[in-house]
Each structure stands twice: as C-alpha cells, then as structure tokens.
Amino acid sequence: MTLDALDDLDRRILNQLQHNANLTNQALAERVHASPPTCLRRVRRLTELGVIAKQVAILDPSKLGSTLTAIIEVTLDNQSAEKLQAFEEIVLREVAIMQCYRVSTGPDFVLIAQVVDMPAYHALVHRALTAAVNVRNVRTFFSVHRSKFDTRLALD
C-alpha cells in the first residue's frame, strides 16, 4: 500500500492515532468526523494491511535511568548477504539496540542503542559487536542532548 492509496479519512485516522493511540474508538470517530463503526472498520483494515504496524507506549528513558544514547557505526569485513544477515541476527537479540539500519556509503550499519551508563555500553559492544567474528570497525557517537524525537510519519 502506498500513501496515494489512502483516502482523506484514512489519513485523518492515522494522524490522530500517531498523536494518541489510546483514544477510544468513539473519541477517534469524533475527532476524524466519522461514525464509530466506520472508524473501527478503517482501523482494523489499516492494521490488517500492515499500515498500522503496532501500537505501543513510548517511554522516557531518562525517567527510567537509561540515560546514555549511543549512535553506533559498524563496518563488516565481509558484506555478503549471509554475513549481513548473520550480523542482523546478533543485533536482533540485543534489547539495548533499539534501531538497526543497513546503510550505503560508509559503514555497513548504523545502530541506535539506549543503555544505563558507560559500563553497560562497553558490555554491549563487547558482547554484540567486537566479539562478532566479521566486525572490522565500530565507531560510536554519544548523544549529549536530544532536541527532537518523534515517531510520527508526515501524511500530508
């Protein structure tokens, strides 16, 4: 499905849910100016199509003591499909690694990790990255201030 395949009501529903996925169906219907049964059908359809991947609570890491955000570049020795997949499987097992991107030009991967402190970061790097056989280089940047964080996609 593409953005063009969404009609105006679908976009209004998705925009509202991106702001607050806790809305009741009744409240959502009122905000998008649709009947509750229509709204419920649309949300179910968007979920079945995978447009709505999941609904989650976004936690504030600083309130939970996880204050170190690491942006990690990883370069592999061998970039064969099997080696890339093997590295991704290692990353998938690590709960501290919140995002993993295979990128072009430069490193092979960019990872976003959230850890409690520097010893936790070192343990993560040793366990998941430097102990991996195919990792050539790891370069990390530490966030000193987050001025923007958003999960919403622009639908306009």
Side-chain angles (χ1 to χ4, degrees):
M1 172 169 268
T2 64
L3 188 56
D4 294 337
L6 300 174
D7 67 13
D8 185 57
L9 179 56
D10 288 334
R11 290 173 197 221
R12 290 195 318 262
I13 289 169
L14 291 171
N15 275 323
Q16 287 299 317
L17 290 176
Q18 286 188 103
H19 285 287
N20 183 0
N22 270 343
L23 291 172
T24 64
N25 184 58
Q26 180 70 37
L28 179 60
E30 288 172 11
R31 289 184 183 195
V32 300
H33 308 292
S35 70
T38 297
C39 197
L40 186 59
R41 268 193 314 274
R42 295 289 187 110
V43 170
R44 283 185 180 152
R45 181 173 91 9
L46 291 165
T47 301
E48 289 167 3
L49 291 171
V51 174
I52 298 173
K54 61 180 159 178
Q55 295 182 12
V56 298
I58 298 174
L59 308 179
D60 183 344
S62 67
K63 304 272 192 235
L64 299 169
S66 186
T67 58
L68 188 61
T69 303
I71 300 103
I72 307 166
E73 295 179 350
V74 177
T75 304
L76 303 181
D77 277 328
N78 180 327
Q79 291 82 16
S80 69
E82 298 82 20
K83 297 291 186 177
L84 293 167
Q85 182 63 38
F87 179 78
E88 287 175 342
E89 288 171 11
I90 291 169
V91 168
L92 289 173
R93 291 191 296 266
E94 289 295 335
V95 294
I97 299 174
M98 302 178 70
Q99 299 174 49
C100 174
Y101 300 94
R102 206 184 280 187
V103 297
S104 63
T105 313
D108 297 308
F109 292 93
V110 173
L111 312 174
I112 308 298
Q114 190 72 44
V115 293
V116 175
D117 54 18
M118 192 58 74
Y121 163 77
H122 282 291
L124 168 68
V125 168
H126 178 71
R127 181 178 62 248
L129 305 178
T130 57
V133 178
N134 192 36
V135 173
R136 179 185 339 143
N137 189 42
V138 176
R139 183 171 132 177
T140 304
F141 304 90
F142 296 100
S143 172
V144 295
H145 174 71
R146 181 172 80 178
S147 57
K148 182 176 182 179
F149 174 81
D150 204 341
T151 60
R152 293 175 293 148
L153 295 175
L155 299 176
D156 301 340

